[in-house]
């Protein structure tokens, strides 16, 4: 059992885990309609006044970095590239002391145009979502014919020096489960790093079932049809991906098995939604409102205190295998990855 929240300033929970990785959702909106995330017509988006302003985002990130020990900041969405103030937000966060490592998770559309400005602003690297290399499948999966734009975004990120460029892929049974080897070959040929993620129960439609999820064991078996994989000797630490050396290395591939091989015991993440709510876990059913406190005039000490209290209540695990598990009301697009 750890000490009480606030005793040493960091974001510690009752199990002794310390959150140093902050995921910040900049918007719940997206310019794709991925079938495993949201319906074709989209979702009821957050109203403008509900969203944190650019200045409010920067202030809360500054509190996390300067007062709570956060060392990694990842901007997510929805789709963060559609946030008008993105470059200015990155510039302000990269200027904080001590400087956090700053990254971005995106679908890649428009990244070729924005990558140079983001690199100049201080962005260190990107993760780009790409589930298929087949244009027809891409259109069916995302309901938008934009595969070429995503591939251009990947190339633009690499050209701008936002490396390592990582690809996040979700495999779905009967949809693209056969593409793991092709995705890895594509990543190796272009110098990208592939991460394949088990589909998680975070869809707006609440249609996820474990029976239709492609498991980590199946992903690895598929990859081994084209490559030799050996365990990565590098310590995994708090990283969500279990990594494997490809054909003896140095190239690696990662599998994020949030469902079948949960890594909750080593989790070091805290999350801030686009409307200013702290989530201690991606699958949390509770949130703590920092926006209301901030707009009511709370000083930085009070905001930090509230954040520490929120993280103190973090559960031991996400509990997906528990019969009482309830999928979060918010879908992934509203939570931030």
């Amino acid at each position: 059992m750890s000490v009480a929240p606030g005793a040493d300033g960091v974001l510690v929970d009752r199990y002794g885990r310390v959150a140093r990785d902050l995921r910040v959702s900049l918007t719940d909106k997206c310019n794709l309609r991925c079938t495993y995330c949201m319906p074709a017509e989209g979702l009821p988006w957050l109203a403008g006044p509900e969203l944190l302003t650019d200045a409010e985002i920067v202030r809360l990130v500054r509190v996390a970095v300067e007062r709570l020990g956060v060392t990694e900041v990842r901007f997510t969405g929805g789709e963060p590239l559609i946030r008008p103030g993105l470059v200015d937000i990155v510039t302000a966060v990269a200027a904080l002391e001590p400087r956090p490592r700053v990254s971005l998770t995106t679908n890649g559309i428009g990244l070729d145009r924005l990558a140079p400005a983001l690199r100049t602003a201080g962005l260190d690297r990107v993760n780009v979502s790409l589930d298929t290399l087949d244009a027809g499948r891409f259109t069916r999966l995302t309901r938008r014919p934009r595969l070429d734009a995503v591939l251009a975004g990947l190339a633009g990120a690499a050209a701008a020096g936002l490396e390592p460029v990582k690809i996040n892929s979700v495999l779905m049974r009967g949809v693209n489960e056969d593409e793991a080897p092709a995705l890895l070959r594509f990543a190796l040929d272009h110098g990208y790093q592939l991460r394949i993620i088990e589909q998680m129960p975070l869809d707006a439609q609440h249609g996820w079932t474990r029976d239709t999820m492609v498991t980590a064991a199946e992903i690895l078996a598929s990859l081994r049809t084209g490559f030799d994989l050996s365990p990565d000797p590098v310590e995994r630490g708090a990283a969500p991906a279990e990594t494997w050396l490809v054909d003896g290395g140095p190239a690696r591939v990662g599998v994020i098995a949030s469902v079948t091989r949960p890594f909750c015991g080593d989790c070091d993440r805290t999350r801030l939604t686009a409307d200013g709510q702290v989530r201690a876990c991606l699958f949390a059913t509770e949130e703590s409102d920092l926006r209301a406190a901030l707009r009511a005039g709370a000083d930085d000490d009070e905001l930090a205190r509230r954040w520490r209290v929120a993280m103190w209540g973090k559960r031991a695990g996400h509990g997906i295998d528990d019969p009482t598990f309830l999928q979060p009301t918010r879908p992934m697009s509203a939570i931030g990855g």
Side-chain angles (χ1 to χ4, degrees):
M1 188 70 68
S2 180
V3 295
D8 57 1
V10 297
L11 291 171
V12 66
D13 64 32
R14 290 170 292 177
Y15 304 94
R17 296 169 297 192
V18 177
R20 302 193 184 280
D21 183 336
L22 169 61
R23 309 294 173 95
V24 182
S25 173
L26 298 181
T27 178
D28 60 328
K29 298 182 178 68
C30 188
N31 44 12
L32 296 180
R33 296 289 183 270
C34 296
T35 56
Y36 57 85
C37 185
M38 66 177 71
E41 65 273 16
L43 295 166
W45 310 120
L46 292 167
E50 297 179 61
L51 294 171
L52 293 175
T53 66
D54 293 0
E56 288 171 336
I57 290 170
V58 172
R59 182 180 172 195
L60 290 175
V61 174
R62 178 172 56 77
V63 168
V65 170
E66 294 180 354
R67 296 172 183 262
L68 298 172
V70 163
T71 58
E72 302 263 348
V73 178
R74 171 88 61 88
F75 293 113
T76 69
E79 175 44 53
L81 292 184
I82 66 177
R83 174 94 185 201
L86 174 60
V87 173
D88 290 339
I89 292 170
V90 170
T91 299
V93 169
L96 294 174
E97 293 292 343
R99 186 197 190 282
R101 185 162 173 80
V102 186
S103 59
L104 179 80
T105 294
T106 171
N107 63 29
I109 296 174
L111 184 57
D112 54 331
R113 176 177 54 85
L114 280 174
L118 287 168
R119 181 60 174 154
T120 299
L123 190 69
D124 294 303
R125 65 170 193 84
V126 294
N127 285 38
V128 178
S129 299
L130 176 65
D131 302 321
T132 178
L133 296 168
D134 180 274
R137 278 184 178 178
F138 185 93
T139 300
R140 290 191 295 273
L141 266 171
T142 68
R143 304 186 177 100
R144 300 289 188 274
R146 303 303 304 278
L147 176 60
D148 287 346
V150 176
L151 298 181
L154 282 163
L162 294 172
E163 296 178 319
V165 175
K166 295 184 179 180
I167 295 174
N168 291 344
S169 301
V170 176
L171 299 185
M172 289 148 284
R173 199 174 306 283
V175 179
N176 65 337
E177 63 186 307
D178 60 326
E179 284 202 60
L183 286 163
L184 180 52
R185 174 50 59 198
F186 171 79
L188 295 175
D189 288 347
H190 291 83
Y192 308 144
Q193 294 184 10
L194 177 66
R195 300 288 185 268
I196 302 181
I197 307 169
E198 288 182 337
Q199 185 184 0
M200 293 178 281
L202 290 167
D203 59 307
Q205 306 93 308
H206 287 208
W208 178 93
T209 65
R210 183 163 182 149
D211 292 342
T212 60
M213 180 192 71
V214 180
T215 67
E218 292 173 299
I219 292 166
L220 290 168
S222 179
L223 289 171
R224 286 189 167 112
T225 62
F227 303 91
D228 177 65
L229 303 183
S230 55
D232 190 343
V234 176
E235 184 67 28
R236 176 179 176 180
E242 182 177 7
T243 54
W244 304 80
L245 297 180
V246 180
D247 294 336
R252 291 169 167 81
V253 63
V255 177
I256 300 178
S258 301
V259 179
T260 63
R261 303 179 187 180
F263 39 87
C264 302
D266 294 314
C267 181
D268 68 344
R269 284 167 290 290
T270 182
R271 288 178 165 82
L272 183 67
T273 66
D275 57 348
Q277 311 300 305
V278 169
R279 296 179 66 90
C281 172
L282 190 59
F283 299 96
T285 54
E286 313 87 14
E287 296 178 336
S288 298
D289 189 357
L290 290 187
R291 182 192 63 196
L294 186 157
R295 292 181 179 176
D299 62 17
D300 288 355
D301 286 339
E302 174 62 12
L303 294 171
R305 185 194 69 80
R306 288 172 180 253
W307 206 326
R308 287 193 294 267
V309 170
M311 292 306 296
W312 181 252
K314 184 172 183 173
R315 298 180 180 180
H318 55 50
I320 291 176
D321 280 336
D322 192 307
T324 64
F325 173 77
L326 293 175
Q327 182 172 336
T329 303
R330 289 200 198 221
M332 175 68 93
S333 63
I335 295 171

